[in-house]
Amino acid sequence: MNTMTTIEGKLDAKGLKIAIAATRFNDFIVERLVNGALDYLCRHGLEPENVTLVRVPGAFELPLICQKLASSKKFNGIVALGAVIRGSTPHFDYVCNEASKGIAQAMLQHSTPIGFGLLTCDNLEQAIDRAGTKSGNKGVEAAEAMLETVRVLEQL
Ligand code: INI
C-alpha cells in the first residue's frame, strides 16, 4: 500500500488563466453564481487580471462559447454558469439536455476542464437555494471542481 501513487489537485489558482461563461437569462440568480465563483477563485490565488468573463444569452448558447474558449487554448479552465428554471413546456428538458451534453463535449474535445455550474431547477425557490442560500452556492462548487481538475490534469 505504501508504494501506491496518489495524484491530487492542490486548490491553488495562482498563475492560471480562467474564463467564466455566464448566461444573461435568469441574471438575478446567475450574478450570484458569478460572484461566488470569482470570490472562491480569487481567495485561492487567482489574479483578477487573469479572468475573462463572457456573457452569453442563455444556457443553450453555453456549449458553443465553452467550445470556442476551450479550442482557443488561452485558458487553463472554464466555469460555465447559468440557471434553467422549469416552466410548463418541454423547453426546459431540451435546454438542459443540450447544454449539459454540449458543455461535456467541449471539455472532452479540448481536454480543458469546465466547471459545470448550470442550475436545473423546478422553481425559483430552488434556484435561490442553490445560489448562495440554503444549499450553498453552485458557482463556488463549479469553480472548485474546475480548479481541482486543472491541477490533477497537469500531473497526468
Ligand atoms: N435559458 C436559460 O438559461 N434558462 C432558462 O430557464 C431558459 N428558459 O426557461 O427558457 C432559457 N431559455 C433560453 C435558451 O437558453 C436560449 O437562449 C434561447 O432559446 C435562444 O437560443
Side-chain angles (χ1 to χ4, degrees):
M1 257 329 238
N2 58 4
T3 57
M4 184 176 79
T5 302
T6 302
I7 295 172
E8 287 180 311
K10 256 181 88 180
L11 297 179
D12 176 13
K14 194 168 184 317
L16 296 180
K17 296 219 179 328
I18 300 299
I20 296 178
T23 65
R24 291 187 195 283
F25 209 106
N26 291 324
D27 174 69
F28 167 77
I29 297 294
V30 178
E31 213 44 37
R32 281 151 181 81
L33 303 178
V34 171
N35 290 338
L38 281 172
D39 179 62
Y40 175 88
L41 291 169
C42 291
R43 281 190 294 108
H44 286 79
L46 186 68
E47 300 82 1
E49 63 271 24
N50 287 337
V51 184
T52 300
L53 175 61
V54 185
R55 303 278 186 188
V56 311
F60 195 73
E61 285 71 35
L62 280 173
L64 173 64
I65 300 307
C66 287
Q67 190 188 59
K68 188 71 182 168
L69 289 166
S71 69
S72 75
K73 298 288 172 195
K74 290 181 187 160
F75 304 100
N76 301 96
I78 299 165
V79 188
L81 301 174
V84 193
I85 302 175
R86 192 184 283 279
S88 52
T89 71
H91 194 67
F92 172 88
D93 298 302
Y94 293 121
V95 172
C96 293
N97 289 344
E98 293 311 310
S100 50
K101 220 176 354 159
I103 291 168
Q105 198 181 325
M107 172 158 80
L108 295 175
Q109 198 173 357
H110 301 288
S111 284
T112 301
I114 304 180
F116 185 72
L118 179 65
L119 303 183
T120 54
C121 306
D122 286 332
N123 51 52
L124 185 60
E125 191 188 348
Q126 265 184 9
I128 292 169
D129 284 352
R130 298 171 192 174
T133 57
K134 271 196 257 172
S135 307
N137 184 318
K138 299 298 171 194
V140 172
E141 288 178 26
E144 184 179 36
M146 177 279 300
L147 178 55
E148 185 174 350
T149 311
V150 167
R151 292 310 193 189
V152 168
L153 199 59
E154 63 192 12
Q155 297 175 68
L156 299 177

